[in-house]
Amino acid sequence: MRICLSLDPSRLLRWHLWLAEALAEVPGNEVSCALAAGRRPLPLTCRLLLELERLVYGFRGNGATDSVEAALRSLPPPPSDQVDVVIDLSGEETRPAGLRVLTPLFNGVPGEIGVMAAVANDQDLLVDLHDTARPLRPWMARPASVDRGVFSASLDSVLSCAVLLILKVLREETGSAASGVPGSRTAVPSLGAFSALARATGTVASKAIGLLDVLARGGRMWGIGWRFDESASLLDKGEATFRVLTGNADSYLADPFPFRHQGQDFIFVEQYLYSKNRGCIAVVTVNRDGTAGASRIVVEEPHHLSYPFLFEQDGQIWMIPESGAARNVSLYRAVEFPYRWTREACLMEGIEGYDTTPLCHAGGFWFFVSPRLWRSTSWDALSLYRAESLTGSWMPHAANPVLLDARLSRPAGAVIRHGGRTLRPVQDCARGYGGAVTFCQIDALGVSEFAQTPVGRIWSGALGCHTYNRRSGLEVIDLFGHIRGLREVTTSYRLLVPDAPVSGPRGVSGPRGQSLSWPVSSG
């Protein structure tokens, strides 16, 4: 495929280079570059703001909006004969006739200023990729932002997601259904000089207030909630009270997974150590009388670990913790449960994937994974992998990433069976990391299909939540906010208004009621 990037010579940015390099890696692609006649540079106030953030936060100069003029100007010009597709990143109003043109808009605005305007106006982030081959239905993605109070962080995550969306669309047939999610368009006002300056001042001020808050009150942190109820889950009751367990002054706890062994209940968690700036896997012993022991670290690596997914198979107890920082998915076996573990195998290598959640379905094994690419957050994309056995060869789904939606992508716990339905807990990161947990019914799952429908949601008031699990009557969640000193928290579960399935790019709905087995929990 002959692909031409149409670029504004005043904005030759690193995310454009990410796109060019990724396109060039696809066999058969020829990537060229054409510089537009017009110039629409970022407003001076926006550039000053990004430079200010670079100084304040110590950014290293490898962000999405850094200038890489020499590298992009070295790309070859378009061939004298016609190209197959033009990717318009310049915002040119005139388009070449007879060619397929892809134009990304950010909250309805072309160019990086659209992201900044959306953040400044506290809007949900949206990427529309307009395609002249299907003018009535733009492709869509809903990216997350690692920190909406920092413009450069939002730009990094949104523009990384835009690259992923463009790559995905170019793999799809022109007539296929949109891979994103339906939604209304919201007009975004332009940022004038005074409003941009005011927003910049407010951003720096809010960060300073946040630092003072950490010093004065201990700041916001993660903790876990737990409760015993053999008869009914939170999803059955609609409301339940959880005991709260936090880390000590040196750490916090998150990502709880319950497990019962020989009559004793345990909660495996991520214990994040401030001194080492990384997470480890720890275990907490809990009792039916409401008492809990101290956390004890059981798996520690030189890299960050979290999300300790536990399961039993072939008479052994296994764990797949999240190890995205090491760019692999590893399998651990309990040598002496619960305190001694050994790394048994590397299941996937070279993939920066987060919160890997296994599922045995229709005779095969599946991994639900949230990937991180370029400077994305790992909160807004979902990829699937399949193998014939747990330690077999894991193959990517044909439509990866099957979702680009910060509300409904990243796993939030084990898949459960509840009310005759198969539900996948997902993290809602549209407004920030750990906002809430939504439950999605899996409607279709196959080598060329995936579809899900949001059906319910956990609410924890002012507190965030991004993990839910239940096993043997022990139900656990995690909590984010000012939880230091909290003993209990009441959480509710509410059904959502029925909606259309959120599906993969082909929009294929498969047969329901297929058999699912390990590791699916009972809800």
Side-chain angles (χ1 to χ4, degrees), residues 10 41-53 116:
S10 68
L42 279 176
L44 176 60
T45 49
C46 293
R47 286 182 279 139
L48 290 174
L49 172 59
L50 296 177
E51 287 299 320
L52 177 62
E53 290 181 344
M116 301 186 76

Side-chain angles (χ1 to χ4, degrees), residues 238-523:
E239 186 173 282
T241 298
F242 289 78
R243 293 181 175 88
V244 176
L245 183 64
T246 63
N248 52 36
D250 301 322
S251 65
Y252 67 70
L253 307 180
D255 293 352
F257 281 77
F259 201 88
R260 177 179 285 186
H261 181 65
Q262 297 180 351
Q264 178 63 60
D265 293 290
F266 304 91
I267 304 176
F268 285 78
V269 297
E270 171 201 347
Q271 182 166 355
Y272 187 92
L273 305 176
Y274 296 127
S275 61
K276 297 184 178 181
N277 197 31
R278 67 171 184 264
C280 308
I281 303 305
V283 65
V284 177
T285 302
V286 293
N287 304 303
R288 302 271 158 160
D289 62 4
T291 59
S295 61
R296 177 173 168 180
I297 292 175
V298 295
V299 181
E300 183 174 5
E301 299 284 7
H303 52 267
H304 178 78
L305 295 175
S306 63
Y307 200 79
F309 193 106
L310 268 72
F311 58 95
E312 293 180 84
Q313 186 182 2
D314 301 329
Q316 299 285 341
I317 302 176
W318 307 88
M319 180 198 302
I320 301 178
E322 179 266 296
S323 54
R327 297 183 60 82
N328 64 43
V329 176
S330 293
L331 178 68
Y332 291 75
R333 178 174 59 85
V335 178
E336 293 179 6
F337 187 88
Y339 299 119
R340 288 189 58 212
W341 296 79
T342 183
R343 186 172 181 266
E344 194 79 8
C346 178
L347 304 181
M348 292 197 299
E349 187 72 54
I351 296 174
E352 189 176 351
Y354 292 83
D355 294 355
T356 298
T357 301
L359 175 67
C360 187
H361 168 61
F365 292 82
W366 291 87
F367 277 168
F368 293 77
V369 183
S370 280
R372 186 175 190 268
L373 300 167
W374 303 288
R375 296 295 297 274
S376 70
T377 62
S378 80
W379 308 342
D380 47 25
L382 175 67
S383 291
L384 302 179
Y385 294 84
R386 187 183 186 279
E388 293 299 323
S389 65
L390 184 62
T391 57
S393 177
W394 287 89
M395 302 300 295
H397 194 281
N400 276 350
V402 295
L403 282 178
L404 287 171
D405 191 334
R407 305 168 305 165
L408 300 168
S409 292
R410 184 159 168 162
V415 176
I416 66 173
R417 293 287 295 179
H418 183 265
R421 300 186 293 187
T422 301
L423 303 182
R424 188 176 82 89
V426 301
Q427 301 182 33
D428 183 348
C429 298
R431 308 296 297 177
Y433 186 58
V437 170
T438 298
F439 290 82
C440 292
Q441 175 177 307
I442 297 178
D443 301 312
L445 177 61
V447 294
S448 62
E449 60 186 0
F450 172 73
Q452 65 178 25
T453 303
V455 296
R457 184 178 174 91
I458 289 178
W459 303 90
S460 297
L463 300 175
C465 176
H466 76 355
T467 308
Y468 171 89
N469 283 294
R470 188 173 189 269
R471 188 186 184 106
S472 303
L474 175 55
E475 193 168 36
V476 294
I477 58 175
D478 55 13
L479 304 160
F480 180 70
H482 294 289
I483 62 172
R484 185 77 72 183
L486 266 183
R487 289 190 171 187
E488 292 184 342
V489 63
T490 299
T491 298
S492 61
Y493 174 77
R494 297 290 182 267
L495 296 177
L496 298 176
V497 176
D499 200 356
V502 177
S503 61
R506 290 173 176 82
V508 179
S509 295
R512 301 194 184 196
Q514 295 178 346
S515 62
L516 293 100
S517 55
W518 167 89
V520 178
S521 299
S522 173

Side-chain angles (χ1 to χ4, degrees), residues 6-10 34-40 90 92 94:
S6 176
L7 302 176
D8 183 329
S10 68
L35 299 180
R39 289 173 174 261
R40 294 180 177 83
S90 65
E92 285 277 77
T94 58

